[in-house]
Amino acid sequence: MKKISKHLLILKRRINQESELRELAQIENNTLQLVLNAFVLTKTDSHKKEDIDSFSNCESYRGKLLYDSTEISYEIFQSDRKATVRDICKKATSTKKWCQFLYYLVKTIDNAKVLEVGTNLGISGSYMLEALKNKTGKLTTTEGLSQLCEVASNQFSTIVPKSKFEIVQGL
């Protein structure tokens, strides 16, 4: 009985979501339509080849981080704590779906000027820079730990010229 109830609830949510999306699509608001379009593209996996290639590049980077045993120190926060890049990647990075959503948001905005608070290892930043790769715009991102700034900066430089991003290190 629990399984049936669970599946009925899931079905009801999906039906309601579709009707909500249709209602939102009727609202004449450019910003809302950009967000809605990004959501639908992400949700339905309606990706073009260029998008898939960009996602693949970013997920390849994530995969490399999962094998990186470099230690990151949190001493700037008056802590003696240390964590490996691998552990930080496992615990504190944005999910693939969330990154795809950010990618589509940035990709659809002309001359996007993006501010990200919390660079971390640069996975979501990589997605946003992939979206900016062939257009005008800039990513500015902040991070407290200088070691994480360095890791992210190295990755970002493989995607776009340094003029397209700025990492502000500080608390």
Side-chain angles (χ1 to χ4, degrees), residues 114 116 125 128-129 132 137-141 156 164-166:
V114 181
E116 176 187 44
M128 291 184 277
L129 288 172
L132 288 172
K138 183 174 182 177
L139 168 68
T140 302
T141 182
F156 293 170
K164 291 196 90 137
F165 70 90
E166 176 184 10

Side-chain angles (χ1 to χ4, degrees), residues 2-171:
K2 276 187 173 183
K3 275 191 172 185
I4 293 171
S5 295
K6 179 181 172 183
H7 288 288
L8 285 173
L9 182 61
I10 291 170
L11 178 63
K12 182 180 176 184
R13 286 182 181 162
R14 285 186 178 159
I15 291 169
N16 287 341
Q17 184 182 63
E18 294 303 320
S19 65
E20 290 293 327
L21 290 174
R22 281 192 298 277
E23 282 184 40
L24 289 172
Q26 302 304 312
I27 299 172
E28 291 186 32
N29 178 304
N30 290 339
T31 304
L32 175 62
Q33 295 310 312
L34 289 173
V35 172
L36 187 59
N37 184 48
F39 176 80
V40 170
L41 286 169
T42 304
K43 180 181 179 286
T44 60
D45 289 326
S46 302
H47 313 304
K48 296 178 181 172
K49 182 179 178 345
E50 72 181 68
D51 302 327
I52 292 169
D53 291 344
S54 292
F55 299 160
S56 178
N57 291 341
C58 295
E59 289 305 311
S60 174
Y61 171 60
R62 185 192 307 263
K64 288 177 191 171
L65 293 173
L66 290 170
Y67 289 97
D68 189 337
S69 60
T70 304
E71 279 198 342
I72 304 295
S73 170
Y74 288 81
E75 66 187 38
I76 194 168
F77 298 113
Q78 285 79 42
S79 171
D80 59 354
R81 181 174 163 245
K82 292 183 180 186
T84 63
V85 168
R86 171 182 41 242
D87 290 339
I88 294 169
C89 185
K90 286 178 187 175
K91 296 176 185 172
T93 58
S94 299
T95 64
K96 181 178 178 179
K97 280 290 186 191
W98 180 250
C99 289
Q100 289 175 352
F101 175 69
L102 293 173
Y103 169 91
Y104 282 122
L105 276 180
V106 172
K107 188 174 181 182
T108 58
I109 298 171
D110 292 328
N111 195 24
K113 292 175 183 74
V114 181
L115 173 63
E116 176 187 44
V117 179
T119 310
N120 197 345
L121 293 165
I123 292 176
S124 59
S126 294
Y127 273 85
M128 291 184 277
L129 288 172
E130 284 283 347
L132 288 172
K133 191 187 283 188
N134 298 315
K135 57 188 280 184
T136 57
K138 183 174 182 177
L139 168 68
T140 302
T141 182
T142 65
E143 176 56 53
L145 298 175
S146 61
Q147 289 175 286
L148 293 180
C149 291
E150 186 178 331
V151 171
S153 181
N154 290 338
Q155 168 62 12
F156 293 170
S157 295
T158 68
I159 301 170
V160 296
K162 288 191 182 245
S163 62
K164 291 196 90 137
F165 70 90
E166 176 184 10
I167 300 176
V168 179
Q169 194 270 319
L171 299 177

